[in-house]
Amino acid sequence: MTDQPLTTVETVGDGVARIAWAATEPVDVVRREVASALLTHARVEALVDPEDAQAQRTATWSGMRREGLMRGVTIEGSAVDRIVYARLASDLPLQEPEGFRAILNSFLPRKRAIGQMLVRDGEDRVLLCQLTYKQDWDLPGGVVEVDESPRAGVTRELEEELGLTIPAGELLLTDWLPPWSGWEDALCLVFDGGVHDASLLERIVREEREIRSVAFKSLDEVRELAADFTTRRIESALARAHGHGSPFTESGRS
């Protein structure tokens, strides 16, 4: 009776091979099988159980990059989640620094960054936006794009959503946001937008799909209109703008 191979490679599409291995298979064997498959395929992929840390390490050290989570894939009649790892024939060799860094970059943790701007009027009221997609008000700003600096991102957001060109000034506050209501954790960076005349409101051109209204609000009004964690962040950013308080908070708390 022939023993079942510990590592299998099958063609699952045009130029695409899928590799699977037993838990006892050494990494160097899997690595050789990946290299061999790439001689006749443009792509070699593996579907790895998110609970199997050893298999994830094997996939990584075999030169495959983590591409994402495939949810609800049917395997042996059951819907399960699987992490997709893959290596392309065009990927740089592992022994080259850029190739090795690309592997690390594919699985190391990443955090979402949000840029916001603290814009005030002469009475120390804060510019707030009433958003179309949630009930509470918030500072102007938004998610920083991939490969975009937070400073450039928040300036862009004000131009896109309010039609205002206000260069981001000093970084007042870095606020860590814990996981909440379906969101993963994130870093919110609040930049100083300076003090402006209240007539600034007359220059605003709202992006109506996202912004319902815009107004300068006192801190008491902020407490009524904004979520608790947003209020704490604004209070902390205001304190920093006045030269005191902590430059780092967690959900607005020092």
Side-chain angles (χ1 to χ4, degrees):
M1 182 175 180
T2 304
D3 292 336
Q4 292 293 322
L6 296 179
T7 297
T8 61
V9 179
E10 62 174 325
T11 300
V12 294
D14 187 15
V16 180
R18 184 169 296 161
I19 187 170
W21 58 89
T24 56
E25 191 75 289
V27 171
D28 58 346
V29 172
V30 179
R31 185 186 299 118
R32 285 199 300 269
E33 292 291 342
V34 170
S36 177
L38 286 172
L39 296 175
T40 54
H41 298 79
R43 171 186 172 91
V44 176
E45 65 182 27
L47 304 182
V48 177
D49 187 341
E51 303 298 323
D52 191 341
Q54 179 59 48
Q56 293 173 49
R57 285 191 290 270
T58 298
T60 298
W61 296 114
S62 297
M64 291 185 281
R65 301 184 193 180
R66 177 173 173 148
E67 294 186 338
L69 181 68
M70 183 184 296
R71 299 185 301 141
V73 61
T74 300
I75 295 180
E76 297 180 353
S78 299
V80 295
D81 294 346
R82 289 292 181 262
I83 301 172
V84 180
Y85 286 85
R87 183 163 183 80
L88 306 184
S90 58
D91 286 343
L92 289 173
L94 284 176
Q95 60 268 29
E96 293 190 18
E98 188 174 345
F100 181 67
R101 288 194 294 267
I103 293 287
L104 295 178
N105 188 64
S106 75
F107 70 85
L108 287 175
R110 302 179 185 183
K111 286 192 185 296
R112 183 178 295 108
I114 300 167
Q116 293 189 327
M117 191 176 291
L118 184 73
V119 179
R120 294 169 288 150
D121 69 2
E123 299 178 18
D124 214 29
R125 296 182 302 173
V126 177
L127 189 69
L128 283 190
C129 297
Q130 183 183 26
L131 306 173
T132 60
Y133 50 87
K134 63 180 182 178
Q135 295 299 313
D136 46 282
W137 294 52
D138 208 342
L139 292 172
V143 175
V144 180
E145 300 290 348
V146 176
D147 296 329
E148 179 182 51
S149 82
R151 188 185 300 275
V154 70
T155 302
R156 171 186 54 76
E157 286 284 349
L158 262 75
E159 292 175 348
E160 292 177 353
E161 296 185 352
L162 302 180
L164 294 176
T165 301
I166 302 178
E170 177 188 359
L171 175 62
L172 296 173
L173 185 72
T174 300
D175 186 31
W176 176 71
L177 309 179
W180 175 79
S181 190
W183 288 103
E184 296 179 350
D185 74 321
L187 290 175
C188 183
L189 293 88
V190 183
F191 292 89
D192 192 356
V195 178
H196 301 261
D197 190 271
S199 62
L200 176 75
L201 296 175
E202 300 171 5
R203 294 169 27 211
I204 289 176
V205 180
R206 290 182 294 110
E207 207 297 309
E208 295 184 356
R209 289 174 299 178
E210 295 192 34
I211 308 298
R212 183 173 289 118
S213 61
V214 187
F216 282 108
K217 298 293 183 179
S218 68
L219 195 50
D220 284 341
E221 291 173 314
V222 170
R223 295 182 180 114
E224 293 178 2
L225 297 170
D228 290 347
F229 57 87
T230 301
T231 298
R232 291 193 297 268
R233 184 186 316 127
I234 293 172
E235 290 173 337
S236 296
L238 272 172
R240 291 289 299 158
H242 290 294
H244 52 87
S246 172
F248 175 77
T249 55
E250 296 185 355
S251 193
R253 298 184 177 94
S254 300

